[in-house]
Amino acid sequence: MNSRTFQPSRVEVTRVRKEFGTKVALNGVSLVVEPGTFTVLLGPSGSGKTTLLRCLAGIEQPTSGQITIGDKVVFGPGKFVSPEKRDLSMVFQDYALWPHLSVRKNIGFPLVSTSMPRAERVLRVDNMLERVGIEHLADRYPNELSGGEQQRVALARALSAKVGLVLFDEPLSNLDADRREQLRIEIATLTRDAGVTAVYITHDQSEAFALADRVGVLRQGELVQYSRPEKIYRHPKSAFVARFTGISGEFAVSNVREISGKRVEVRLPFAPHMFIEATKSENSPYDTDPHLFVRAAGVTLHPEASVDGAPGVIRDVAYNGRGYEHVVEVGDKETLTKVYAADRFERGDCVKVMFDPVSCFVMNAQEEA
């Protein structure tokens, strides 16, 4: 690397397949990450997200397909470019800092083998130390730092080289909740300020939605939905995507009837006298086993005396700092979870439950094969 003009990389993955013996870890994954954007790959353990990230990095070699980073094909038929020649850096889950180097030298390590003048290298390291707020730690060693401080060093090191692509391997998973939130904000801000293209993996849907310009949801080695966070939240492509990205409740429904191009009415099993309005999934049918999927944002609670709403009973309540999250029993032991209200309802209180059509949608319950 030299002091060439910085350009964020465009990443194109085309029909990438990765096999480990008889196990298929990636099954024909294709996606495009536009320059300067932040993409999060989201999925449970074993979904293929880590394998895909390692294939981008060059740590794993796919079985077939093609990967292009910037204007360079880094993997394809008869082609494999080694990691150090892919114009990328990586932030690891376990930080991967050199234990014998100070913070300053860890951050400057990617610049040592470049043609950059020493004075410019020193200036860039000083700038990164200041940007991530650890200039007072410059002469310490990794074993003298907390987990959050080590992760800041890893982030500064990844951004110091001014590569076109930065990969994040679940960098917040080893931190406690407060540090996770603080560092998540710093990662989002610093990465976007640097103008690089970012690909980040996690199993935490709230983390994915908070960070991403686009989210790719993986399941059993396949990319099952790739879109903007709000699109995935409002229009999940399958029951799996809906469940994995967070629902308050799911109920089998009957008497589904269309009332417009985007809306249906359904009869609730726990309130057979009621029809409620919901959104018709634009991606998935509801012809064989229709279920109502309810996001937590789609539920509001009202006192029992309210005229409208389905009956429910408060079974649990927790204060979350801005209000209260409730668990509501409806019908025969079915529940709605994480139902927010600014005011507290007590355990055992009878309430009425109202549903917002925008955050309630109907699709078949079975997962894709």
Side-chain angles (χ1 to χ4, degrees), residues 119-344:
E120 187 178 342
R121 295 203 307 266
V122 170
L123 186 62
R124 183 172 296 180
V125 171
D126 286 344
N127 178 258
M128 291 310 307
L129 284 164
E130 182 179 356
R131 289 179 67 189
V132 300
I134 55 172
E135 57 266 56
H136 61 294
L137 304 174
D139 296 321
R140 293 191 187 179
Y141 289 84
N143 66 348
E144 300 176 299
L145 307 177
S146 69
E149 289 166 347
Q150 289 185 59
Q151 197 56 276
R152 284 188 175 87
V153 177
L155 175 62
R157 180 181 60 187
L159 296 177
S160 69
K162 287 196 174 181
V163 294
L165 173 65
V166 178
L167 307 177
F168 294 88
D169 180 13
E170 299 199 70
L172 307 182
S173 61
N174 292 332
L175 304 178
D176 60 43
D178 287 343
R179 287 176 178 170
R180 282 174 68 98
E181 178 66 13
Q182 184 178 4
L183 196 54
R184 177 193 64 74
I185 294 169
E186 291 176 8
I187 286 173
T189 302
L190 291 169
T191 303
R192 286 184 167 89
D193 285 350
V196 300
T197 304
V199 178
Y200 183 111
I201 64 170
T202 183
H203 60 273
D204 185 325
Q205 59 90 9
S206 61
E207 192 175 294
F209 285 1
L211 283 167
D213 297 313
R214 290 176 72 86
V215 173
V217 183
L218 288 103
R219 175 177 182 256
Q220 297 179 355
E222 296 186 355
L223 185 67
V224 294
Q225 190 165 0
Y226 183 51
S227 191
R228 297 184 64 83
E230 57 268 32
K231 180 79 169 180
I232 288 175
Y233 187 83
R234 295 171 184 165
H235 299 284
K237 200 170 183 179
S238 67
F240 167 78
V241 175
R243 293 176 184 126
F244 192 73
T245 53
I247 56 174
S248 176
E250 175 186 345
F251 310 101
V253 292
S254 59
N255 299 89
V256 182
R257 60 191 189 193
E258 294 194 18
I259 57 176
S260 72
K262 295 183 178 179
R263 293 281 191 266
V264 294
E265 280 187 335
V266 298
R267 192 188 298 275
L268 293 171
F270 50 85
H273 62 288
M274 285 184 60
F275 275 92
I276 72 160
E277 191 174 333
T279 299
K280 180 174 65 174
S281 172
E282 63 183 47
N283 298 302
S284 179
Y286 53 86
D287 54 347
T288 58
D289 186 19
H291 276 216
L292 177 72
F293 294 83
V294 183
R295 300 289 193 194
V299 185
T300 54
L301 299 178
H302 301 273
E304 183 185 19
S306 299
V307 175
D308 297 322
V313 179
I314 303 298
R315 291 305 181 205
D316 198 15
V317 58
Y319 181 63
N320 67 4
R322 63 186 183 93
Y324 301 89
E325 288 186 349
H326 301 81
V327 177
V328 187
E329 183 180 297
V330 290
D332 186 18
K333 303 297 183 182
E334 295 177 299
T335 59
L336 292 160
T337 60
K338 297 184 178 179
V339 180
Y340 172 80
D343 298 319
R344 180 186 180 105

